[in-house]
Amino acid sequence: FKAISSGQEDPSDILTGKTTAKLNVRKGPGTKYAKMGTLSKGAKVEVITKLPSGWYKIKYKGTYGYVLGKYVKLNTPQQDEKVIATGKTTAQLNVRKGSSTKYAKIGSLSKGAKVEIVSKLSNGWYKIKYNGTYGYVSGAYVKLDSEQPKPGEDEKIIATGKTTVSSLNVRSGPSSNYSKLGILIKGTKVEVVERYSNGWYKIKYKGSYGYVSGAYVSLDGSKGEVIATGKTTAGLNVRSGAGTGYKKIGYLNKGTKVEIVTKLSNGWYKIKFNSSYGYVSGDYVKLI
């Protein structure tokens, strides 16, 4: 099949800014990491991830580096983004500065509040209009006014495969936070219509669509080609999905070699692990 995700970032989730001083670019989020280069004052930066420590993961010379965020002035968001969908919250919901719970809370929405969505991010979060600007909320707690495709709008199958576990949950959205629609037994054929950078697949299911974790689907003709290798820089948990919310399936010691098959937009890597696949945080893997 032809992959529609190559581990590239979701453009709608990239922040831009300029340095306020000459700034070192390092291999990891701290001064203990090796220096990769420098940015002059006023240099443009593209920020992929804002880390809780105050460091930013940025694009740098065809790869990634880390800079201290207090020396980067971020551009203010545009105020004219088009609303692509609307919905209502299904519970009281925090609004945050970025697309995950690690970002600071900027407000909250009561249950049943109307939301105007300007971007649907690949990790299941939504960028919404909020108080004259923008904020981010988890899509797990927003019911869209129209969630299913119109009759006759059948989506193209981009890949097929089979489930590899005894029972695989099918959910209403691309993460385990969404409600369960049903299960697929081991060996069930699946027809994939969309792949997400968090490792989930949108599939045909009972005349409509559902979502399953790609970690438990073996795609036909997929060899899991290694695109990069690296070594762990610390003891590192291997998980069933691309985030700390997923269950731990193993552990890698510091200095362990890893074979990477996908680089995900949230900074995690899908790797070969115990004759199958797992996910690790790229913050603790040094590419070689």
Side-chain angles (χ1 to χ4, degrees):
F1 70 97
K2 181 179 180 181
I4 61 171
S5 172
S6 59
Q8 298 299 311
E9 305 78 28
D10 188 332
S12 63
D13 208 22
I14 294 177
L15 302 172
T16 59
K18 289 185 178 181
T19 58
T20 59
K22 186 176 180 181
L23 187 56
N24 290 330
V25 183
R26 297 188 179 272
K27 290 186 176 181
T31 54
K32 66 182 179 181
Y33 290 90
K35 179 179 171 183
M36 299 172 63
T38 60
L39 295 172
S40 59
K41 182 178 179 180
K44 180 180 176 181
V45 293
E46 292 181 289
V47 179
I48 307 305
T49 306
K50 295 169 69 178
L51 303 178
S53 61
W55 284 71
Y56 293 166
K57 182 177 181 180
I58 67 167
K59 285 189 172 184
Y60 184 70
K61 293 186 177 180
T63 181
Y64 301 97
Y66 295 80
V67 295
L68 191 55
K70 70 179 182 180
Y71 298 114
V72 176
K73 183 178 180 180
L74 296 177
N75 296 328
T76 56
Q78 297 297 317
Q79 302 298 315
D80 58 354
E81 294 191 50
K82 182 179 178 182
V83 174
I84 61 170
T86 59
K88 290 184 178 180
T89 59
T90 59
Q92 185 170 334
L93 184 58
N94 290 330
V95 183
R96 298 186 180 273
K97 285 187 176 181
S99 56
S100 80
T101 55
K102 70 185 178 184
Y103 288 93
K105 176 182 171 182
I106 60 174
S108 65
L109 298 171
S110 59
K111 182 178 179 180
K114 181 180 178 181
V115 292
E116 294 181 311
I117 300 164
V118 298
S119 181
K120 296 179 181 179
L121 307 180
S122 57
N123 64 349
W125 282 61
Y126 297 152
K127 183 178 182 181
I128 67 168
K129 289 193 171 185
Y130 183 71
N131 285 352
T133 179
Y134 299 96
Y136 296 80
V137 296
S138 170
Y141 304 103
V142 176
K143 180 176 176 59
L144 298 182
D145 293 332
S146 177
E147 294 196 291
Q148 295 299 329
K150 297 178 181 179
E153 291 185 348
D154 203 22
E155 297 190 45
K156 183 180 178 182
I157 296 169
I158 61 169
T160 59
K162 290 183 179 180
T163 59
T164 60
V165 289
S166 58
S167 64
L168 178 60
N169 290 329
V170 182
R171 298 190 178 270
S172 60
S175 84
S176 57
N177 292 326
Y178 288 86
S179 60
K180 180 178 170 182
L181 299 176
I183 62 169
L184 299 174
I185 62 173
K186 185 175 182 179
T188 300
K189 180 180 179 181
V190 293
E191 295 178 314
V192 180
V193 298
E194 189 170 357
R195 297 177 69 199
Y196 295 87
S197 60
N198 67 347
W200 281 64
Y201 298 156
K202 183 177 182 180
I203 66 168
K204 289 194 172 187
Y205 183 69
K206 292 187 176 180
S208 185
Y209 300 95
Y211 300 78
V212 296
S213 171
Y216 306 109
V217 176
S218 176
L219 296 179
D220 299 332
S222 175
K223 297 181 180 179
E225 182 179 354
V226 175
I227 62 169
T229 58
K231 286 187 178 182
T232 59
T233 59
L236 185 58
N237 290 328
V238 183
R239 298 187 180 272
S240 61
T244 55
Y246 291 89
K247 69 177 182 180
K248 178 181 172 182
I249 60 173
Y251 182 82
L252 299 174
N253 292 320
K254 181 179 179 180
T256 302
K257 180 180 178 180
V258 293
E259 295 181 313
I260 300 163
V261 297
T262 306
K263 296 180 181 179
L264 306 179
S265 62
N266 65 349
W268 283 62
Y269 296 153
K270 183 176 181 180
I271 67 168
K272 288 191 173 185
F273 182 70
N274 286 352
S275 301
S276 184
Y277 300 97
Y279 296 81
V280 296
S281 171
D283 288 339
Y284 303 102
V285 177
K286 180 180 180 181
L287 298 182
I288 57 176

